[in-house]
């Protein structure tokens, strides 16, 4: 009775704060993901990572049922807040209302307000007898059709073909079809079909048949007998990502505390269109008291370049010289790699979670077998990379809460005897100061195919480093984030002639006097060594030079009214070395305007950079469940317009047109992708249909 009376008083006091419906909008999700995503300095496809986070935030997080791992994975809470919430649930029972969050000491109004769009108090029973009925009644059941195309013709589509060109086999349309029925992390059933621009939709020849990429999954969580069951395409996430990373690698970004730690989400359905980095088969997780046992088996066809390997008895054996990851099958050469190698994986995990939830221990194991041995072209820099037809990797990991801190770590070893280690902590040293610290060391012969551990490299191999992050909230409206990362590469890298070292730092100051107004300034610097350019006679110098880069961003965004949002940004870059200096700048203006059942989102930007080294990356809004952080170099103007139209309760339409016009060139790109024009115009169309 006293608890109910207390909640009534809280509700009357702060009703305006909680009046909104707590479900994340597309804009709120995009804003959160942009803050969490790593700051790119190379062209990396983040589609799979975006898909994972987008699905994670699709439905509000159930605060009454989520465990510590799930709460931390959301990136919405600090370790101290997670512990406070779990302790409150243990002492008081499930939360009756979201108003009750104010009774938890670590949750102030600012924190509560920021998480409201992403949380709820669920009431699903999760019992197996409700499963079939729930699928039939689930509102989150939809079909999505997407079409994308570049309007200007690229060289690969020109008829007759230019001299020396290998034409694209298909048309310039990119097509995507998805159907899915999903209820949070309780169940998911879906399929995905996709073809890239330049590919045929349907292959029909002896080596390649069917739709270019097809994916299917069935996932059921929290049944009476199993914690999780998955069939079809899936990913696995345990420990710090040294064995099972699930494509989940946030890296270094504006979120300087929580993003350094990987999460143990277990078995996860896979629904992205990145054509590598996932398992295909089945897996189960079984909980027995404080223990959870997970096992899975996978057999998937991988893209590979197959060649004949000469052996001592003068016979020839098939081998794979490389495993292309891009998933493009546009030319005869690319098509020849499609589904050429069978990869088999057997893996498992054993996890212990203490009754208090403060101690988590686990062990991972993964065995991988290739149909043909992988034999790369021998080079000095790749002398310690994997070769052969089988590999195993195993690890042990731990997470432990001690007062205000979460300690975590994982140590792994591969068949090559190469080791990988990650140890870190994050927590609060003061009510207004959060701290994170991470040390990692990956041997040059550490070979783990599905690892996404924290690293400066794109893979956790041949690297050692220490990261220190800090977040300070000096007052209600101000927040300061920063990190410093020092790293070294004990062995050679591609196009780097010797072992090297470097550093990277970031500082960000944010000011938010009210929910509708946000301003921040961010600057990031780094220093790395790389090979110096060739001499005039095109002979390599075999010397290294130090490259220093600085990138900055000034941002101001505000809601002028309920229907109009504006964002202004200035981006700049500076690159220095012993032989050259270059710089770049970009100024952009965004707007979002909604009326009736229509939403308009647009941008206009101008950019001017001296060269590709001083290129600028910027997050762009896109059609539903499409993600882009393009790079801009040279001089030009960029603009796009997105329309979102709700035709009915079941049908929504999205359309986007974007155009980049360059002032410093007459053609764009090169090879088959070359456009014989200084303009590139791209369109995207999405139709979403809800079955209920």
């Amino acid at each position: 009775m006293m608890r109910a009376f207390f909640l009534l008083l809280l509700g009357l006091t702060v009703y305006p704060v909680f009046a909104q419906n707590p479900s994340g909008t597309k804009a709120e999700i995009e804003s959160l993901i942009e803050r969490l995503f790593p700051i790119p300095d190379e062209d990396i496809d983040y589609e799979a990572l975006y898909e994972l986070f987008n699905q994670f935030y699709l439905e509000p997080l159930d605060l009454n049922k989520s465990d510590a791992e799930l709460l931390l994975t959301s990136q919405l809470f600090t370790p101290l807040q997670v512990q406070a919430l779990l302790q409150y649930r243990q002492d008081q029972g499930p939360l009756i209302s979201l108003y009750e969050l104010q009774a938890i000491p670590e949750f102030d109004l600012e924190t509560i307000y920021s998480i409201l769009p992403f949380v709820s108090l669920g009431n699903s029973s999760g019992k197996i007898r409700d499963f079939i009925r729930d699928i039939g009644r689930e509102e989150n059941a939809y079909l999505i059709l997407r079409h994308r195309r570049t309007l200007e013709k690229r060289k690969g589509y020109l008829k007759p073909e230019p001299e020396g060109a290998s034409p694209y086999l298909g048309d310039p349309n990119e097509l995507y079809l998805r159907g899915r029925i999903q209820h949070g992390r309780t169940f998911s059933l879906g399929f995905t079909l996709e073809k890239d621009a330049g590919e045929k939709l349907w292959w029909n020849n002896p080596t390649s048949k069917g739709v270019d990429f097809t994916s299917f999954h069935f996932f059921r969580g929290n049944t009476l007998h199993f914690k999780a069951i998955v069939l079809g395409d899936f990913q696995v996430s345990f420990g710090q990502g040294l064995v099972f990373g699930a494509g989940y690698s946030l890296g270094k970004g504006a979120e300087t505390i929580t993003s350094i730690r990987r999460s143990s989400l277990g078995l996860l359905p896979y629904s992205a269109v990145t054509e590598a980095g996932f398992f295909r088969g089945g897996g189960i997780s079984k909980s027995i008291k404080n223990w959870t046992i997970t096992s899975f088996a996978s057999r998937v066809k991988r893209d590979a370049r197959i060649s004949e390997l000469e052996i001592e008895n003068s016979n020839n054996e098939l081998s794979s010289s490389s495993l292309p990851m891009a998933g493009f099958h546009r030319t005869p050469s690319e098509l020849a790699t499609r589904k050429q190698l069978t990869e088999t994986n057997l893996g498992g995990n054993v996890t212990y979670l203490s009754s208090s939830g403060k101690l988590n221990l686990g062990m991972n194991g993964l065995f991988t077998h290739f149909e043909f041995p992988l034999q790369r072209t021998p080079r000095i820099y790749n002398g310690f990379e994997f070769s052969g037809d089988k590999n195993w990797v195993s690890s042990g990991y731990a997470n432990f809460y001690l007062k205000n801190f979460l300690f975590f770590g994982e140590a792994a070893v591969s068949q090559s005897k190469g080791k990988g280690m990650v140890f870190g902590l994050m927590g609060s040293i003061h009510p207004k100061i959060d701290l994170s610290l991470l040390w990692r060391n990956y041997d040059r012969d550490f070979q783990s195919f599905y690892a996404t551990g924290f690293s400066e490299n794109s893979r956790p191999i041949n690297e050692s480093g220490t990261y220190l992050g800090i977040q300070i909230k000096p007052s209600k409206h101000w927040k300061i984030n920063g990190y410093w990362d020092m790293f070294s590469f004990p062995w050679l890298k591609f196009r780097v002639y010797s072992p090297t070292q470097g550093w990277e730092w970031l500082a960000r100051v944010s000011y938010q006097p009210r929910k509708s107004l946000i301003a921040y300034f961010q600057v990031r610097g780094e220093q790395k060594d790389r090979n110096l350019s060739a001499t005039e006679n095109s002979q390599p110098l075999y010397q290294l030079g130090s490259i220093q880069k600085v990138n900055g961003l000034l941002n101001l965004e505000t809601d002028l009214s309920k229907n109009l949002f504006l964002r202004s940004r200035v981006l700049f870059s500076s690159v220095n070395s012993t032989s050259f200096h270059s710089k770049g700048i970009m100024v952009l203006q965004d707007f979002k305007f909604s009326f009736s059942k229509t939403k308009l989102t647009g941008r206009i930007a101008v950019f001017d950079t001296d060269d590709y080294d001083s290129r600028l990356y910027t997050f762009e809004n896109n059609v539903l469940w499409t993600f882009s952080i393009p790079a801009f170099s040279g001089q030009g103007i960029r603009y796009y317009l997105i329309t979102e139209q709700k035709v009915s309760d079941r049908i929504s339409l999205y359309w986007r047109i974007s155009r980049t016009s360059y002032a410093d060139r007459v053609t764009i790109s090169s090879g088959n992708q070359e456009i014989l024009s200084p303009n590139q115009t791209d369109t995207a169309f999405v139709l979403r249909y809800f079955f209920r």
Side-chain angles (χ1 to χ4, degrees):
M1 185 66 181
M2 287 299 296
R3 187 182 183 189
F5 179 71
F6 175 67
L7 289 176
L8 177 61
L9 288 179
L10 287 176
L12 292 175
T13 304
V14 296
Y15 174 78
V17 175
F18 292 88
Q20 62 177 341
N21 180 30
S23 58
T25 66
K26 182 173 182 288
E28 289 166 327
I29 292 174
E30 285 184 344
S31 178
L32 177 60
I33 291 179
E34 182 183 6
R35 179 173 62 85
L36 294 175
F37 259 62
I39 301 168
D41 56 9
E42 55 183 308
D43 297 325
I44 298 176
D45 182 9
Y46 289 112
E47 191 79 22
L49 180 56
Y50 174 74
E51 173 74 16
L52 187 149
F53 267 91
N54 195 56
Q55 292 299 325
F56 190 89
Y57 296 121
L58 188 62
E59 292 190 14
L61 191 67
D62 186 348
L63 293 184
N64 277 334
K65 294 185 178 179
S66 299
D67 58 17
E69 200 66 43
L70 202 55
L71 293 169
L72 285 170
T73 303
S74 72
Q75 306 291 327
L76 299 171
F77 309 94
T78 67
L80 192 58
Q81 289 169 341
V82 169
Q83 280 299 292
L85 175 59
L86 295 179
Q87 188 65 50
Y88 186 85
R89 278 175 17 190
Q90 182 177 332
D91 296 340
Q92 303 293 334
L95 277 71
I96 300 173
S97 167
L98 289 174
Y99 303 140
E100 201 171 347
L101 287 171
Q102 296 170 94
I104 304 176
E106 302 302 327
F107 286 78
D108 55 25
L109 279 178
E110 181 187 3
T111 299
I112 296 171
Y113 197 89
S114 66
I115 68 173
L116 273 181
F118 306 100
V119 300
S120 70
L121 305 179
N123 55 10
S124 174
S125 66
K127 295 180 180 179
I128 190 68
R129 64 173 178 266
D130 297 332
F131 178 49
I132 302 301
R133 185 197 66 185
D134 289 346
I135 287 182
R137 296 180 180 180
E138 177 56 45
E139 294 182 357
N140 191 22
Y142 57 84
L143 192 70
I144 288 180
L145 173 66
R146 185 178 73 197
H147 171 274
R148 293 194 292 193
R149 178 169 179 160
T150 298
L151 298 185
E152 291 81 9
K153 276 209 170 180
R154 300 186 185 274
K155 186 178 287 188
Y157 303 109
L158 296 180
K159 307 294 181 182
E161 294 82 18
E163 184 178 352
S166 179
Y168 289 147
L169 300 172
D171 58 58
N173 299 302
E174 179 187 322
L175 299 175
Y176 167 96
L177 178 66
R178 167 195 279 177
R180 191 165 188 178
I181 303 174
Q182 178 186 11
H183 185 80
R185 284 151 289 278
T186 303
F187 64 80
S188 178
L189 176 67
F191 70 90
T192 304
L193 309 176
E194 188 250 9
K195 93 164 193 75
D196 294 306
E199 298 175 339
K200 284 188 176 181
L201 176 63
W202 185 274
W203 299 111
N204 189 17
N205 58 58
T207 59
S208 295
K209 293 183 181 296
V211 177
D212 187 77
F213 179 71
T214 305
S215 177
F216 165 82
H217 74 264
F218 166 81
F219 175 83
R220 172 70 171 134
N222 301 318
T223 73
L224 289 177
H225 302 289
F226 295 98
K227 185 175 181 179
I229 302 172
V230 65
L231 297 172
D233 293 346
F234 62 96
Q235 293 182 305
V236 184
S237 171
F238 287 109
Q240 295 308 304
L242 299 191
V243 178
F244 301 123
Y248 171 66
S249 179
L250 281 177
K252 294 173 284 189
E255 173 48 62
T256 56
I257 305 298
T258 60
S259 63
I260 67 169
R261 178 185 174 274
R262 305 295 180 257
S263 299
S264 296
L265 293 176
L267 300 173
L268 298 167
Y270 181 78
S271 58
V273 293
T274 303
E275 299 179 29
F278 62 90
F279 299 109
R280 177 167 288 178
I284 58 173
S285 287
K286 172 74 173 180
S287 293
I288 305 173
K289 295 184 178 180
N290 295 78
W291 296 85
T292 300
I293 302 173
T294 300
S295 62
F296 69 87
S298 167
R299 194 177 189 88
V300 61
K301 287 285 189 178
R302 289 280 304 273
D303 287 1
R305 297 196 180 278
I306 304 299
S307 58
E308 288 189 338
L309 177 67
E310 219 174 279
I311 56 177
E312 292 182 1
N313 60 9
S314 299
N315 294 325
N316 290 333
E317 273 189 3
L318 292 178
S319 68
S320 52
S321 58
S322 64
L323 303 175
M325 305 291 287
F328 292 133
H329 311 114
R330 303 165 296 187
T331 65
S333 175
E334 291 176 348
L335 183 59
T337 69
R338 183 174 184 263
K339 296 184 178 181
Q340 292 299 300
L341 175 130
T342 301
E343 176 187 313
T344 303
N345 285 279
L346 298 174
N349 167 270
V350 178
T351 298
Y352 169 79
L353 179 64
S354 67
S355 300
S356 65
K358 293 186 176 182
L359 175 64
N360 173 224
L361 303 173
M363 295 182 64
N364 295 314
L366 176 65
F367 173 78
T368 302
H369 177 263
F370 295 114
E371 180 183 6
F372 309 120
L374 179 61
Q375 298 288 345
R376 292 181 172 88
T377 303
R379 297 286 188 269
I380 296 178
Y381 76 88
N382 68 11
F384 295 92
E385 291 278 2
F386 172 82
S387 63
D389 63 353
K390 59 178 67 72
N391 184 55
W392 59 260
V393 59
S394 58
S395 74
Y397 64 90
N399 299 279
F400 177 64
Y401 287 93
L402 180 63
K403 295 185 178 180
N404 295 345
F405 284 90
L406 169 61
F407 295 84
F408 57 90
E410 182 175 13
V413 60
S414 60
Q415 180 177 269
S416 62
K417 307 303 181 184
K419 300 177 180 62
M421 291 179 283
V422 174
F423 298 101
L425 63 89
M426 57 184 186
S428 301
I429 59 175
H430 184 274
K432 296 178 184 270
I433 303 176
D434 296 324
L435 190 71
S436 62
L437 177 66
L438 182 139
W439 173 84
R440 75 270 191 190
N441 186 77
Y442 310 122
D443 290 348
R444 59 188 180 181
D445 58 345
F446 177 59
Q447 300 161 357
S448 184
F449 301 132
Y450 291 88
T452 59
F454 186 97
S455 64
E456 173 66 20
N457 286 323
S458 57
R459 297 181 299 138
I461 184 172
N462 183 36
E463 178 178 330
S464 179
T466 303
Y467 170 100
L468 175 64
I470 192 169
Q471 177 175 280
I472 305 173
K473 295 181 179 179
S475 67
K476 179 180 179 182
H477 303 306
W478 290 88
K479 184 166 70 172
I480 302 170
N481 290 81
Y483 69 73
W484 174 267
D485 188 36
M486 296 187 66
F487 43 82
S488 63
F489 310 112
W491 187 243
L492 283 63
K493 298 169 57 180
F494 180 59
R495 293 182 177 174
V496 181
Y497 296 132
S498 72
T500 58
Q501 59 186 8
W503 46 258
E504 182 179 321
W505 59 269
L506 175 142
R508 175 173 173 139
V509 179
S510 305
Y511 175 62
Q512 186 173 5
R514 56 183 183 275
K515 183 178 184 295
S516 60
L517 177 62
I518 302 175
Y520 61 82
F521 175 70
Q522 176 178 297
V523 60
R524 179 180 70 107
E526 69 172 15
Q527 176 176 299
K528 293 181 182 178
D529 293 333
R530 74 179 187 190
N531 293 350
L532 294 178
S533 302
T535 59
E536 291 183 1
N537 61 4
S538 299
Q539 295 300 311
L541 295 174
Y542 296 104
Q543 294 180 5
L544 296 177
S546 179
I547 306 294
Q548 295 185 355
K549 294 183 180 180
V550 176
N551 297 88
L553 167 63
L554 179 62
N555 181 90
L556 175 64
E557 54 190 67
T558 182
D559 294 305
L560 291 184
S561 68
K562 182 180 179 181
N563 300 323
L564 180 60
F565 167 85
L566 295 178
R567 177 193 292 127
S568 303
R569 280 184 176 175
V570 178
L571 300 91
F572 63 88
S573 64
S574 176
V575 183
N576 290 283
S577 76
T578 55
S579 58
F580 74 93
H581 169 73
S582 64
K583 59 185 183 300
I585 188 170
M586 185 176 196
V587 181
L588 64 87
Q589 179 63 53
D590 291 342
F591 74 87
K592 295 180 183 180
F593 180 66
S594 61
F595 58 93
S596 185
K597 296 183 178 181
T598 303
K599 295 181 181 178
L600 298 176
T601 302
R603 166 176 293 179
I604 183 168
V606 292
F607 56 92
D608 184 353
T609 76
D610 293 337
D611 51 29
Y612 186 70
D613 281 315
S614 54
R615 65 193 180 277
L616 294 162
Y617 290 87
T618 181
F619 176 88
E620 290 192 348
N621 296 105
N622 218 312
V623 291
L624 183 70
W625 289 353
T626 307
F627 181 76
S628 56
I629 310 181
F632 296 95
S633 61
Q635 294 82 45
I637 184 170
R638 168 75 168 177
Y639 48 89
Y640 63 76
L641 179 67
I642 306 169
T643 64
E644 176 182 344
Q645 178 69 45
K646 187 174 182 180
V647 179
S648 67
D649 290 339
R650 293 190 176 188
I651 299 176
S652 294
L653 302 177
Y654 305 81
W655 181 73
R656 182 185 197 255
I657 183 168
S658 61
R659 185 177 177 90
T660 306
S661 298
Y662 291 93
D664 63 334
R665 67 198 70 177
V666 294
T667 63
I668 300 173
S669 195
S670 60
N672 272 355
Q673 288 291 91
E674 184 177 3
I675 297 174
L676 302 177
S677 166
N679 305 307
Q680 179 175 334
T681 309
D682 300 300
T683 62
F685 171 78
V686 170
L687 182 151
R688 178 174 64 176
Y689 175 77
F690 280 103
F691 293 106
R692 279 171 285 280

